[in-house]
Amino acid sequence: MREILHIQGGQCGNQIGAKFWEVICDEHGIDQTGKYYGETDLQLERINVYYNEASGGRYVPRAVLMDLEPGTMDSLRSGPYGQIFRPDNFVFGQSGAGNNWAKGHYTEEKKLRTVIVFKDSKFATHWVEELVQEWAHFLFQRSGRSNPDRMMLTFSVFPSPKVSDTVVEPYNATLSVHQLVEMQMNVWFLIMKPSMTFASRTLKLSTPTWLEDVSYFHRKLYLYSGMFRRVSEQFTAMFRRKAFLHWYTGEGMDEMEFTEAESNMNDLVAEYQQYQDATADEDEYDDRDDDIA
């Protein structure tokens, strides 16, 4: 039986992850203390995919929860399923990255590197990862070298201009995508804008939170193409003016990394546009065939 090691990081990733584990526990009949209360053997048949069995018949999620500041971890611990996780699988720093990708990757991440490597090394598993933005580079790079035969899959939330209040978000998003496409086998983007629209219009949530807004994302190619293009244009406009660049170079980041990230994002936009055009052509031919018939 293949096993999954679930890694969730950052405020967004941890809040989504908390909801994820609520759903998984409900499906497998696991209560908030890790005890099985289900009524069918089917719930236990593949429970080892997600859980390790501990002493006393408790089931513990095979998960590592991490953030660069302690607040998110405190919130998870006090949540409904906070006691189901192993206490030593909470990994966190003390100061955070301050919405600066370079600070998270080059400065704060180094303080936790030894702990992350230790947690990572304890598992020989199939990978599923939540959003790990600033320190994804080191984590994915190291995991890929240690587990070359493992599938590495990430689910990441992409920003929306309607709900974002961070001026350097185009930098952070582009640098993150740059690392993800280089190191992951499969990347799923949860697009924030349609998710928020779905939550407010369909679920009637006036102020949707990450916990309530986790199950919906749009799969159409034109959305992905437009999403990447928007961020790419914002990135280019800021980078040409060297806006806020000193925040990143001051943390040890080289300006060349911005150039490489910009190139990768442009390639991604072009690739999605190619598939979008091909899909449009197929639809046009299908319409013609229907008219002839």
Side-chain angles (χ1 to χ4, degrees):
M1 181 71 66
R2 295 303 297 266
E3 298 174 338
I4 290 176
L5 168 59
H6 173 102
I7 301 177
Q8 57 191 57
Q11 181 181 4
C12 169
N14 275 293
Q15 290 181 331
I16 291 177
K19 189 64 177 180
F20 168 82
W21 283 109
E22 285 186 30
V23 173
I24 295 298
C25 286
D26 181 63
E27 289 180 351
H28 286 275
I30 303 298
D31 65 18
Q32 297 178 359
T33 66
K35 293 284 189 178
Y36 174 71
Y37 68 89
E39 300 176 350
T40 170
D41 292 340
L42 186 62
Q43 291 175 304
L44 289 174
E45 183 176 337
R46 297 184 178 179
I47 198 167
N48 289 335
V49 171
Y50 292 102
Y51 299 87
N52 288 327
E53 187 171 3
S55 59
R58 292 182 64 250
Y59 290 94
V60 180
R62 192 179 298 103
V64 177
L65 307 86
M66 57 192 189
D67 198 5
L68 292 178
E69 55 187 359
T72 305
M73 300 293 101
D74 293 339
S75 177
L76 285 176
R77 287 195 185 98
S78 61
Y81 283 83
Q83 303 305 309
I84 198 174
F85 301 100
R86 287 176 56 93
D88 58 352
N89 279 8
F90 287 88
V91 182
F92 55 90
Q94 295 297 328
S95 60
N99 293 316
N100 185 333
W101 189 92
K103 183 178 180 182
H105 174 55
Y106 288 101
T107 306
E108 298 301 323
E109 171 267 317
K110 291 180 181 178
K111 301 175 183 178
L112 297 174
R113 179 171 297 187
T114 302
V115 181
I116 299 170
V117 171
F118 174 72
K119 303 296 181 187
D120 177 10
S121 299
K122 290 178 65 177
F123 302 97
T125 56
H126 172 200
W127 294 78
V128 171
E129 286 135 17
E130 290 292 346
L131 174 66
V132 186
Q133 191 181 67
E134 292 93 352
W135 42 346
H137 179 201
F138 163 74
L139 179 66
F140 294 159
Q141 187 179 55
R142 194 269 170 194
S143 300
R145 288 198 304 262
S146 300
N147 305 281
D149 61 330
R150 305 305 187 196
M151 180 181 294
M152 297 180 66
L153 179 66
T154 179
F155 296 85
S156 298
V157 176
F158 213 78
S160 165
K162 292 192 175 183
V163 295
S164 172
D165 57 359
T166 304
V167 66
V168 293
E169 200 160 62
Y171 281 166
N172 294 337
T174 302
L175 292 168
S176 297
V177 169
H178 172 56
Q179 300 297 341
L180 289 171
V181 299
E182 292 288 339
M183 299 177 187
Q184 296 299 288
M185 295 181 179
N186 201 332
V187 180
W188 292 85
F189 287 105
L190 311 179
I191 308 174
M192 185 60 183
K193 180 179 177 180
S195 297
M196 295 293 285
T197 301
F198 175 80
S200 59
R201 294 181 182 176
T202 306
L203 300 182
K204 307 302 181 184
L205 301 172
S206 57
T207 55
T209 67
W210 288 111
L211 290 179
E212 295 165 326
D213 183 29
V214 298
S215 60
Y216 175 81
F217 62 94
H218 210 304
R219 298 185 180 184
K220 291 189 177 179
L221 288 174
Y222 74 87
L223 257 183
Y224 283 117
S225 177
M227 172 186 73
F228 290 130
R229 183 181 294 106
R230 170 180 59 81
V231 172
S232 177
E233 291 173 352
Q234 293 171 341
F235 178 96
T236 299
M238 292 175 61
F239 187 44
R240 282 177 180 172
R241 302 193 309 269
K242 310 296 183 185
F244 307 104
L245 203 63
H246 62 285
W247 291 6
Y248 294 76
T249 55
E251 298 292 340
M253 188 171 177
D254 192 291
E255 193 171 319
M256 182 58 67
E257 293 185 59
F258 280 85
T259 304
E260 293 173 355
E262 182 180 29
S263 177
N264 256 356
M265 181 65 88
N266 290 336
D267 290 344
L268 201 59
V269 170
E271 184 174 355
Y272 271 101
Q273 186 64 48
Q274 176 185 346
Y275 286 118
Q276 178 183 330
D277 294 341
T279 302
D281 291 341
E282 289 177 4
D283 292 340
E284 183 178 346
Y285 286 129
D286 289 341
D287 292 340
R288 290 178 180 175
D289 291 340
D290 292 339
D291 293 339
I292 293 175

